[in-house]
């Protein structure tokens, strides 16, 4: 049986503080079986986000960042993609769509040679947006069934 890795730096959300946040707050949210974060922009300015640096990824490997997202209205699209992955030089590697209706989002990419990426979350201005069951794992045909709690998992 294949054992999955979750390279997201804090999969149990005991301390949900992002590596960097601009114009937003982040709070722990959810149950032990469904852990996550609540993100809220603190003003009407575009560009606010919470981000985590994920390091130690295997260079050249195809990975997927997967997260469930609560409601984010189509009219809030000025903020950009809900999930974005950048390399260590802030070049965009992959983006999700700009809105969600309580659904699972997936962003696939090939890990850069330094093994470092930045995972960016964007929410709704002045309102809460939930992100939960956040994982970074090897991309594969069975990843859509992997939610962080139902398959063997090694948290790195």
């Amino acid at each position: 049986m294949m054992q999955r890795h979750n390279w997201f730096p804090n999969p149990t959300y005991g301390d949900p503080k992002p590596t960097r946040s601009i114009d937003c707050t982040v709070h722990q949210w959810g149950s032990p079986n469904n852990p996550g974060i609540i993100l809220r922009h603190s003003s009407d300015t575009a560009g606010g986000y919470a981000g985590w640096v994920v390091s130690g990824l295997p260079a050249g490997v195809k990975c997927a960042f997967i997260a469930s997202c609560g409601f984010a209205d189509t009219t809030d699209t000025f903020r950009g993609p809900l999930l974005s992955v950048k390399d260590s030089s802030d070049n965009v590697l992959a983006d999700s769509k700009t809105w969600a209706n309580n659904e699972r989002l997936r962003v696939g990419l090939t890990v850069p040679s330094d093994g470092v990426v930045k995972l960016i979350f964007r929410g709704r201005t002045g309102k809460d947006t939930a992100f939960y069951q956040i994982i970074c794992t090897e991309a594969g045909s069975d990843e859509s069934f992997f939610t962080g709690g139902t398959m063997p998992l090694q948290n790195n």
Side-chain angles (χ1 to χ4, degrees):
M1 171 173 42
M2 179 180 173
Q3 182 167 348
R4 289 288 196 179
H5 293 86
N6 185 359
W7 285 294
F8 186 66
N10 191 5
T12 57
Y13 310 101
D15 183 0
K17 291 178 181 56
T19 307
R20 182 168 190 196
S21 63
I22 295 176
D23 195 31
C24 71
T25 58
V26 180
H27 300 281
Q28 188 174 2
W29 175 84
S31 67
N33 294 331
N34 210 16
I37 58 172
I38 288 285
L39 178 77
R40 177 178 278 196
H41 281 255
S42 50
S43 75
D44 287 337
T45 60
Y49 70 88
W52 277 262
V53 172
V54 182
S55 59
L57 297 172
V61 170
K62 292 186 184 293
C63 285
F65 281 93
I66 306 169
S68 291
C69 180
F71 181 74
D73 195 11
T74 57
T75 60
D76 293 329
T77 57
F78 73 88
R79 92 186 138 248
L82 290 164
L83 293 177
S84 185
V85 182
K86 298 180 178 185
D87 66 15
S88 56
S89 299
D90 283 332
N91 298 306
V92 175
L93 299 174
D95 286 330
S96 74
K97 61 186 187 172
T98 58
W99 63 276
N101 188 12
N102 300 311
E103 59 193 89
R104 200 89 166 124
L105 300 174
R106 180 192 183 277
V107 178
L109 65 133
T110 300
V111 176
S113 60
D114 64 0
V116 177
V117 298
K118 298 174 183 176
L119 177 59
I120 307 296
F121 294 88
R122 294 182 181 91
R124 301 171 69 194
T125 301
K127 297 181 182 177
D128 293 340
T129 305
F131 294 95
Y132 51 98
Q133 295 178 332
I134 305 164
I135 61 168
C136 172
T137 190
E138 302 90 341
S141 61
D142 64 340
E143 74 191 30
S144 62
F145 300 104
F146 180 62
T147 63
T150 60
M151 292 182 67
L153 172 67
Q154 177 182 335
N155 291 322
N156 290 1

